């Protein structure tokens, strides 16, 4: 895990018209057991657009992708809090059909 303070990084998130947001990550925190890996991540993803996640090894890129398709649910002790809103539905809420979600978002291993 990266130990640098978040304010030491350059962060660039394009401004996206709310009507064009397909997937909206809001105040996402992610935990591997007691390890707090992602802290307060918020990023909108526009519909029909390409988004690149770049950064150094260990900064949380793959962890974010695992949260987007709830791959972490396959492993005990991993959890996410906050909101991930896909087409108006918070996919972190209980009762979401994970097979259908993964078919829509894709799988990352």
């Amino acid at each position: 895990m990266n130990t640098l303070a978040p304010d030491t990084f350059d962060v660039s998130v394009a401004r996206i018209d709310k009507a064009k947001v397909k997937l909206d990550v809001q105040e996402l925190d992610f935990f591997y057991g007691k390890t707090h890996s992602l802290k307060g991540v918020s990023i909108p993803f526009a519909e029909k657009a390409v988004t690149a996640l770049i950064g150094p090894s260990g900064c949380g890129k793959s962890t974010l992708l695992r949260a987007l398709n709830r791959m972490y649910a396959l492993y005990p002790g991993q959890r996410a809090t906050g909101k991930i809103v896909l087409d108006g539905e918070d996919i972190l809420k209980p009762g979401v059909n994970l097979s259908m979600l993964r078919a829509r978002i894709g799988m990352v291993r």
Side-chain angles (χ1 to χ4, degrees):
M1 185 171 99
N2 200 322
T3 57
L4 295 174
D7 59 348
T8 62
F9 295 102
D10 282 333
V11 177
S12 177
V13 177
R15 301 272 183 239
I16 300 171
D17 179 2
K18 288 194 183 267
K20 295 182 179 179
V21 173
K22 177 75 172 176
L23 180 71
D24 195 13
V25 178
Q26 303 169 8
E27 295 297 319
L28 179 68
D29 288 292
F30 190 86
F31 300 85
Y32 289 102
K34 292 182 182 181
T35 302
H36 193 175
S37 296
L38 298 179
K39 299 175 183 176
V41 174
S42 295
I43 181 172
F45 293 88
E47 185 172 32
K48 299 181 182 175
V50 175
T51 302
L53 300 174
I54 58 173
S57 178
C59 73
K61 301 176 301 289
S62 294
T63 299
L64 175 60
L65 294 175
R66 289 167 53 85
L68 296 180
N69 63 23
R70 291 191 48 183
M71 181 66 76
Y72 65 86
L74 298 172
Y75 304 95
Q78 297 182 13
R79 64 186 175 90
T81 62
K83 285 186 175 182
I84 301 175
V85 181
L86 175 63
D87 292 331
E89 178 186 6
D90 183 1
I91 64 170
L92 293 183
K93 286 189 175 182
V96 171
N97 182 321
L98 297 182
S99 295
M100 293 299 292
L101 172 67
R102 292 179 186 137
R104 290 177 69 196
I105 291 187
M107 299 281 284
V108 177
R109 290 195 97 141

